[in-house]
Amino acid sequence: MEKFSILLSLVMLGLAICNVERVEGAQKAPWRIQTLFSVECQNYFDWQTVGLMHSFRKAKQPGHITRLLSCTEEQKKTYRGMHLAPTFEVPSMSKHPTTGDWYPAINKPAGVLHWLKYSKDAENVDWVIILDADMIIRGRIVPWKLGAEKGRPVAAYYGYLRGCDNILAQLHTKHPELCDKVGGLLAMHIDDLRSLASMWLSKTEEVRQDRAHWGVNITGDIYEKGWISEMYGYSFGAAEVGLKHKINDNLMIYPGYAPREGVEPILLHYGLPFRVGNWSFSKADHDEDEIVYSCDQLFPQPPYPREVMQLEIDPNLRRGLFLSIECINILNEALLLHHAASGCPKPAWSKYVNFLKSRAFAELTKPKTVTPATLQMMEDAVQEHIDHDATPPYPKIHTVFSTECTPYFDWQTVGLMHSFRLSGQPGNISRLLSCSDADLKLYKGHNLAPTHYVPSMSQHPLTGDWYPAINKPAAVLHWLNHANIEAEFIVILDADMIMRGPITPWEFKAARGTPVSTPYDYLIGCDNELAKLHTSHPEACDKVGGVIIMHIDDLRKFALLWLHKTEEVRADRAHYARNITGDIYESGWISEMYGYSFGAAELKLRHTINREIMLYPGYVPEPGIKYRAFHYGLEFKVGNWSFDKADWREVDMVNRCWAKFPEPPDPLTLDNNDEENLQRDLLSIECVKTLNEALRLHHEKMDCRKDGSISKLNAREARVISSKLGNFSENLESKENHKSADYSEQMVSVQKDGTGIPSSFRLWVLFLCAFSVFGFLVIVFLVHSGHKRKGMKMKYHRTRRRNL
């Protein structure tokens, strides 16, 4: 009996062990997963590696991860980051061994192919996930749970790969109909990767060599440098071997974007700059950052979650902001842990470090689970619609123009703002308004445009020289130093312009180091002694102005020189002569234009000069060109009718109901015999008609009556809005500095002390204040009396007890 009991116990134990093994086996992945990412031997990739590796562990991603490290033998001698991740070394192809082409992005397909050929891990894998280094994993990426099948990989959507729809695909794959716009996240069976890898590399080399088709209109590459050849190499290679993807636009998200309702992204791809309130992050700013090897260094701290709650009311947009701060917080958490593991001393206490170590942060960043909405694939019909309408991730643009507190600039502002709205120009616009304190107190046009307020330099603070044109470079410099600017490219216009279409850096081929502008051929000082006197690089002087498209980095370096050179040329009265400057008035009025050209020359900023962006009304247009802007700086005529902006310098066109410029002739009355003159006159008419239409719409918003008066209600609202808000619209867009805020506060206080608020309203405010004070005193008296009576009753009861 005893033996039977022992035997029974052993059987039960065996069953228990089998059951445990069965449960553990059920919890393990039924197939083996391998995650790959490609990097080079650089600090830039090291901090990305630390972030990705930490998120891999934090998300409890199943399987193993391998870093494909592309380094030259020379780089390996000084490289410090071999320990940062499980690593498989691959030969560097940054400089192509055959062509000599410098293209580091090719290391990704080359590294994957090398891993497949020479890694033992590749022999023991069923599924492969390929990521970029600049990613944060938020939840488990399990290929078969995402819908991947053998022969049908799952990938994220890259809608800007327009080459799948045009001649590029027809040139580089026999099956252009199979070309998918995918990248970023790739989850596929190992057999599919084996059939694809060599073709991925081959097609990358092929597209990279096809320089004739690097244009943005063909590839979608805004820089037209062939940088996204590797992405096309993947798409064309997959099409060539017959791989059709299941495309998902929910699994991966760029910080700065808001997810769709019900979607829980499990991958953050911080490849683009993003911002939350006044804080911003761009990985490109940390290209040479040794943050991995500096014990006390983290990325700039983003806002706390409770601060984000106050930034956005819309719950889904707020989720987007939370994803942005989560991305950087996990990067910083990764750096803290890495520094501790590297033997760094314990960091000094700070509120932010304490937050990253808190239970609350751990709860916020625990692994996420995909929702049904996240797993939804893009149907073919939906994909076609998105392919047609999708906006490529073009760089952000901000348009600015400079004005002063005068009626002359107000009607120009109304015209430019109206045309901006019609033009389709991307991004925001800001008016740089230069005003003296005295002018600002009387100024009425605060609501004409989103406005950045600038101290006036019309009268130079040092020399006393009266030169209002200097406000343009001074205002741009002030705006750069005091506004929060998230745009990558700045478009600078003059106020006396009408926009007819978008002016974008990608269309006109502006790039960092290569601004775009329009010709100012009369700036002859670029060719003579004036340039030799005022710049050390006269050969780099470009005769440009009017419309400027410049990268923000170039503008930040250049703006101060623009101002200084303007002051310098303005002070050089000995060279005001027409034969030296081209200034017909010989008054130094175009000193600011030379300040721009000489400042740019000093930095050797050479412009792409484009004659198709801007036209002066009155000039004969080139056939077939759609000019993007009118610059009505000069008088122009159509028959006996003429327009000269200088004639309207002192006229208040904005605040006088239904004021407008004299109507130009009816186009039907023009002479059709001379095509050139006809086109010239039609454009001249269009310019003034646009100005008049802008004024009409503005007066309608003022609630002007037919008799030319303004309704009392609207007038009162206008005064209250003006006195209450000031430059509120610009505060929302650019969060001006304290000085700009001081200007606004001064303006508000002046208007409140004046006639900004009706006297009846003030009486009501005084009455309410008096009533509130009286009510408060009554409540205090009642409460105090109650306490006193209660105290007397308690005293009476205590006395009565003693007597008893």
Side-chain angles (χ1 to χ4, degrees), residues 283-341:
K283 68 171 187 174
D285 295 339
H286 303 276
D287 191 12
E288 299 298 328
D289 206 323
E290 294 195 350
I291 196 167
V292 168
Y293 308 105
S294 301
C295 286
D296 58 346
Q297 193 175 348
L298 299 175
F299 292 114
Q301 153 188 346
Y304 290 103
R306 66 175 180 274
E307 296 170 336
V308 172
M309 294 288 288
Q310 301 171 1
L311 291 175
E312 180 57 59
I313 298 174
D314 184 277
N316 213 50
L317 294 179
R318 186 187 289 167
R319 285 183 64 218
L321 298 181
F322 275 121
L323 288 174
S324 295
I325 65 171
E326 178 185 322
C327 178
I328 300 303
N329 283 334
I330 289 179
L331 278 173
N332 279 337
E333 182 186 32
L335 289 168
L336 278 176
L337 294 172
H338 171 75
H339 292 156

Side-chain angles (χ1 to χ4, degrees), residues 140-152:
R140 295 183 178 189
I141 305 171
V142 183
W144 57 91
K145 289 188 177 180
L146 302 184
E149 305 172 58
K150 189 173 180 180
R152 293 297 307 276

Side-chain angles (χ1 to χ4, degrees), residues 465-467 566-573 576 587-589 591:
D465 176 40
W466 180 260
Y467 182 53
T566 298
E567 294 172 312
E568 188 180 305
V569 176
R570 178 70 180 171
D572 184 8
R573 294 178 178 272
Y576 274 11
S587 62
W589 193 256
S591 299

Side-chain angles (χ1 to χ4, degrees), residues 271 350 694:
S350 72

Side-chain angles (χ1 to χ4, degrees), residues 720-737:
V720 172
I721 289 172
S722 179
S723 64
K724 291 287 185 184
L725 298 184
N727 61 340
F728 176 71
S729 58
E730 179 62 10
N731 285 337
L732 286 177
E733 279 191 27
S734 61
K735 307 294 184 186
E736 289 183 11
N737 72 321

Side-chain angles (χ1 to χ4, degrees), residues 440-541:
L440 199 62
K441 292 176 182 178
L442 303 174
Y443 184 62
K444 301 176 183 177
H446 298 284
N447 61 344
L448 297 180
T451 301
H452 177 89
Y453 293 83
V454 183
S456 175
M457 274 189 66
S458 295
Q459 186 166 23
H460 196 283
L462 298 179
T463 66
D465 176 40
W466 180 260
Y467 182 53
I470 202 173
N471 283 315
K472 185 176 181 179
V476 169
L477 181 63
H478 189 278
W479 179 67
L480 288 172
N481 288 333
H482 296 91
N484 261 325
I485 305 166
E486 62 177 352
E488 189 175 344
F489 281 91
I490 309 303
V491 177
I492 304 175
L493 305 177
D494 287 338
D496 56 344
M497 288 185 172
I498 292 295
M499 295 187 70
R500 306 178 69 239
I503 303 171
T504 60
W506 50 87
E507 183 172 358
F508 295 104
K509 298 179 174 58
R512 186 189 278 110
T514 311
V516 170
S517 191
T518 49
Y520 270 7
D521 294 329
Y522 55 85
L523 296 180
I524 61 175
C526 273
D527 300 328
N528 57 40
E529 61 191 274
L530 198 67
K532 296 175 184 177
L533 285 170
H534 294 291
T535 174
S536 49
H537 303 291
E539 75 285 354
C541 186

